[in-house]
Amino acid sequence: MDILIIGIILILLALYGTPLFVIISAIALLAFHAAGIDSSAVIIELYRLASQPVLIAIPLFTFAGYLLAESNTPQRLVNLSRALFGWMPGGLAIVALVSCAVFTAFTGASGVTIIALGGLLYPVMIQEKYSEDFSLGLLTASGNLGLLFPPSLPIILYGLVSQVSIDKLFVAGVLPGILMVALLSVYSVNFFKRSGNEIPKSGILRFDCRSIYL
Amino acid sequence: MKIINKIDSWIARIEDWILVSLVISMVFLAFLQVVLRNFFDLGIIWGDILLRHIVLWVGFIGASLATKNNKHINIDVFKRLHKGWPKKIINLFINLVAAFVSGYLAHAAYSFVLDEKEFESIIFNDIPAWPFQTIIPSGFALMGIRFIISGLNALAEKEGN
């Protein structure tokens, strides 16, 4: 009964906007207390997890992601994928999918994709007469695509906490990741064909090699 | 309240500087390790251990700054339903709960560091571990204080915000 009440209180607190780390810590502290273990054991566990050698990947990838986002990489990535896929029906949607997946993978899925690419691709999609619903949905969905490709941080974290081999997790993620990109591309092409839009001329873009170093 | 907020932003500025220098040194040290390992078959033995502790420091300073800016991950479905003074009371209450939990964690971390000091744990050779671990209690304590400040700020906030 006590556990039920505490659980309900914690869930209510969480839904009313208490930072989630507070809720999780509270659960840990309560559980350790109930088991009669000193609360400093929570910190011992925290210290053990926080000083794992793999964790350094997280700040470094986040840093890399912000560097990429601030240095016009999204723009160039979009240009490259437009040159590659712009000619297809629904090409822009595929451009969005591919650049989001690549960018997410490069930045270790640290969550900068939507900030970096969303603001760039959304206006272009609206301009080329994709509906608002479709553009928003596609961009938010593709922001998570690279999650399954190495070196994604969520997978590293999951492997750390659940003690599963991170290498195997990455190998396991490749096929589902490709499948998701392929399915979403097929859907986008279909959607484009059914909506009766025409391929805009601006969609076909020649890739300028100077972009590589500029 | 104004003075407290001013002191708070001064601390935040110092934290910003520490954070930037830590991240920069982390990038350089990690890169140096990669180069040394791959091209010279060398490596700084204490480098990785130091890097892990820098990560710990970056994490805690970042968490403390996130507390100041109200950027901890949270769910706000229910909070949207309220306006005016009920919202203020909820904000105050939630921040106080968070402050209490952080304070408790700070206390637990403090006894952890004392234990480590007593047992003379080392991170490498004869370098004691506890100075590197002091960030855990101080980080949690700073977060607790900041939760109280944000609670009071939420209470003092003008209508319509």
Side-chain angles (χ1 to χ4, degrees):
Chain A
M1 196 59 205
D2 284 357
I3 296 174
L4 194 72
I5 293 169
I6 291 173
I8 290 172
I9 291 175
L10 283 177
I11 290 173
L12 271 178
L13 277 174
L15 290 178
Y16 268 110
T18 315
L20 290 181
F21 93 90
V22 170
I23 303 288
I24 297 167
S25 318
I27 294 171
L29 287 171
L30 285 170
F32 273 80
H33 182 73
I37 304 171
D38 190 70
S39 56
S40 64
V42 180
I43 307 295
I44 296 177
E45 197 64 3
L46 180 150
Y47 180 64
R48 190 183 64 81
L49 279 172
S51 47
Q52 299 238 9
V54 207
L55 271 186
I56 190 176
I58 293 170
L60 289 183
F61 270 123
T62 315
F63 182 63
Y66 272 96
L67 267 183
L68 284 174
E70 293 292 322
S71 57
N72 283 334
T73 308
Q75 182 78 57
R76 279 177 284 165
L77 201 60
V78 170
N79 283 351
L80 175 66
S81 7
R82 283 187 98 175
L84 285 171
F85 303 108
W87 52 272
M88 289 163 85
L92 189 67
I94 296 173
V95 167
L97 282 170
V98 172
S99 16
C100 280
V102 172
F103 196 78
T104 310
F106 276 169
T107 55
S110 47
V112 284
T113 308
I114 295 290
I115 308 169
L117 278 167
L120 188 71
L121 282 166
Y122 180 69
V124 186
M125 290 189 76
I126 295 293
Q127 203 185 335
E128 296 196 359
K129 301 218 170 60
Y130 287 87
S131 70
E132 194 183 319
D133 290 348
F134 180 76
S135 317
L136 279 177
L138 184 85
L139 285 176
T140 30
S142 39
N144 296 324
L145 273 180
L147 202 78
L148 288 167
F149 299 123
S152 124
L153 297 178
I155 288 188
I156 297 179
L157 272 180
Y158 177 78
L160 266 182
V161 174
S162 63
Q163 312 275 336
V164 182
S165 150
I166 295 168
D167 302 354
K168 281 186 183 165
L169 280 174
F170 278 136
V171 174
V174 171
L175 210 61
I178 294 173
L179 184 72
M180 268 163 70
V181 175
L183 282 179
L184 273 167
S185 310
V186 171
Y187 176 78
S188 309
V189 172
N190 255 334
F191 182 88
F192 187 82
K193 277 188 173 159
R194 240 188 290 159
S195 69
N197 277 1
E198 279 174 28
I199 304 171
K201 286 209 177 72
S202 62
I204 310 153
L205 205 77
R206 287 181 66 116
F207 184 65
D208 193 343
C209 284
R210 276 186 305 174
S211 304
I212 293 169
Y213 54 86
L214 275 181
Chain B
M1 205 60 224
K2 254 186 184 170
I3 304 167
I4 297 174
N5 278 328
K6 208 164 201 180
I7 298 171
D8 194 32
S9 22
W10 272 105
I11 297 174
R13 192 169 285 180
I14 299 168
E15 281 176 309
D16 274 339
W17 278 106
I18 301 175
L19 201 59
V20 170
S21 13
L22 281 179
V23 170
I24 290 174
S25 45
M26 192 162 74
V27 170
F28 275 103
L29 190 58
F31 184 64
L32 186 70
Q33 286 278 61
V34 172
V35 172
L36 283 179
R37 229 179 267 154
N38 288 313
F39 297 105
F40 301 99
D41 276 331
L42 288 169
I44 308 166
I45 309 173
W46 45 264
D48 276 8
I49 299 166
L50 182 63
L51 277 174
R52 279 180 233 165
H53 285 87
I54 296 180
V55 173
L56 194 70
W57 279 67
V58 168
F60 270 97
I61 297 174
S64 155
L65 283 171
T67 313
K68 179 179 161 51
N69 301 323
N70 277 326
K71 279 192 174 163
H72 277 294
I73 298 176
N74 60 28
I75 307 168
D76 59 356
V77 265
F78 280 11
K79 227 198 296 192
R80 291 164 182 273
L81 306 175
H82 299 277
K83 272 182 189 144
W85 65 266
K87 194 176 180 182
K88 285 183 181 180
I89 300 291
I90 290 169
N91 267 334
L92 178 69
F93 182 69
I94 278 169
N95 275 304
L96 288 182
V97 170
F100 176 75
V101 175
S102 308
Y104 202 88
L105 285 169
H107 174 75
Y110 180 67
S111 55
F112 164 73
V113 172
L114 282 187
D115 283 350
E116 290 277 293
K117 195 179 175 185
E118 198 182 309
F119 296 137
E120 292 173 349
S121 329
I122 47 155
I123 53 167
F124 187 72
N125 274 355
D126 52 354
I127 300 165
W130 68 267
F132 293 92
Q133 295 160 344
T134 48
I135 189 66
I136 309 177
S138 25
F140 278 130
L142 209 56
M143 273 186 252
I145 294 167
R146 285 209 159 125
F147 276 124
I148 295 176
I149 295 176
S150 345
L152 294 176
N153 275 335
L155 206 62
E157 207 171 66
K158 282 199 180 103
E159 288 290 332
N161 282 344

